[in-house]
Amino acid sequence: MNPQFISIEGLEGAGKSTQRTVLAAWVAKRFGQPMVTREPGGTVMAEQIREVLLAHHDEPVDVLTELLLMFAARRQHFSAAIRPALANGQWVVSDRFTDASYAYQGGGRGIAWEQIAELENLVLQGAKPDLTLWLDCPAEIGLARARQRGELDRIETEDIAFFERCRAAYERRRSEDPQRIIRLDATGSIESVSAALIQALEARYS
Ligand code: T5A
């Protein structure tokens, strides 16, 4: 089988980082150690863009600026890390990818789907994950988990309505590409979400 590119998506506190470890361990056991990465970020330069994106600023952040920075980081991440790893036969597990831009900048900020698609074509020329595991939970549940950790970044300070729009946009993405995007109920215990995730992987790759 060709090395696979798997992304994991969901709102803050959905459990992406927690489940990413389970996902990476599953891949490592069957197909060799994957490259485990995240967005925005994943390379030194893209991590610097992440810092700019998540920091609080004295000036208002224009929504298109935010989108362009997400895609600038993504281009660097894809060309310098993801594509070489796949070309080298290594699987890739990424905490977020382009679906997050549709969810947050599309659903959350209200940028037209078509504009994001244009940018996606320019930046990725059709490249996308082979499988996306969407950890779905109501915004209230995810934010309560995330907020227990303390200080909130710039995007985490948005209100519940913003995150519910992001969630609805994830559902729109799933309905447009149901073969690639698998929804997993992320409201249960960590163990029950891990079990559902492994079941989805077994169904896809066994
Ligand atoms: N963004 C990103 C965009 O706007 N556009 C884009 O294109 C991209 C790529 C990045 C931010 O950037 C935005 C989205 C984000 O706002 P991030 O680094 O992805 O942020 O971080 P967050 O989503 O903020 O990550 P979190 O750490 O908040 O969420 P996770 O990773 O989903 O959650 P996790 O695993 O760290 O868990 C959070 C807490 O909940 C507990 C964990 O133990 C932990 O304490 N937990 C559970 N508790 C109970 N039951 C479960 N099932 C649990 N699962 C986890």
Side-chain angles (χ1 to χ4, degrees):
M1 185 188 310
N2 288 336
Q4 299 285 293
F5 173 18
I6 305 177
S7 63
I8 187 156
E9 293 281 356
L11 300 180
E12 355 287 290
K16 297 177 302 301
S17 311
T18 307
Q19 299 302 336
R20 186 178 68 180
T21 311
V22 175
L23 170 53
W26 187 90
V27 171
K29 217 161 148 191
R30 286 156 188 82
F31 303 103
Q33 201 63 47
M35 184 179 88
V36 179
T37 186
R38 69 169 180 183
E39 288 214 345
T43 75
V44 172
M45 199 172 135
E47 289 287 333
Q48 287 172 344
I49 300 174
R50 175 191 179 91
E51 279 178 31
V52 172
L53 275 162
L54 299 187
H56 296 274
H57 299 280
D58 289 336
E59 65 195 74
V61 178
D62 178 81
V63 294
L64 194 52
T65 305
E66 183 178 271
L67 178 72
L68 290 168
L69 283 173
M70 290 293 177
F71 271 100
R74 182 162 299 129
R75 173 68 196 181
Q76 188 62 19
H77 182 210
F78 185 72
S79 61
I82 296 177
R83 191 169 51 193
L86 292 169
N88 207 25
Q90 189 179 18
W91 285 45
V92 173
V93 169
S94 184
D95 186 336
R96 301 189 184 279
F97 199 65
T98 309
D99 296 304
S101 295
Y102 283 92
Y104 285 76
Q105 282 66 52
R109 303 285 190 219
I111 296 179
W113 221 241
E114 299 70 32
Q115 280 189 328
I116 302 173
E118 270 179 41
L119 207 45
E120 182 184 12
N121 285 338
L122 173 73
V123 168
L124 296 169
Q125 290 140 11
K128 56 183 171 185
D130 299 293
L131 174 67
T132 296
L133 298 164
W134 168 35
L135 302 183
D136 180 38
C137 67
E140 227 165 285
I141 293 182
L143 286 175
R145 290 177 189 160
R147 281 176 179 152
Q148 276 177 352
R149 277 184 322 213
E151 215 172 291
L152 302 177
D153 65 39
R154 186 177 61 82
I155 296 176
E156 283 168 348
T157 57
E158 293 295 339
D159 60 17
I160 287 278
F162 172 88
F163 292 103
E164 281 302 344
R165 291 198 299 279
C166 298
R167 185 185 183 201
Y170 272 128
E171 172 52 27
R172 178 173 169 191
R173 289 294 284 167
R174 191 207 58 77
S175 69
E176 288 174 355
D177 199 354
Q179 287 303 314
R180 175 174 68 84
I181 304 180
I182 309 285
R183 177 188 171 276
L184 300 174
D185 180 356
T187 58
S189 66
I190 291 177
E191 295 70 26
S192 69
V193 179
S194 300
L197 180 136
I198 287 171
Q199 203 178 11
L201 291 169
E202 299 278 1
R204 180 65 62 115
Y205 294 118
S206 291

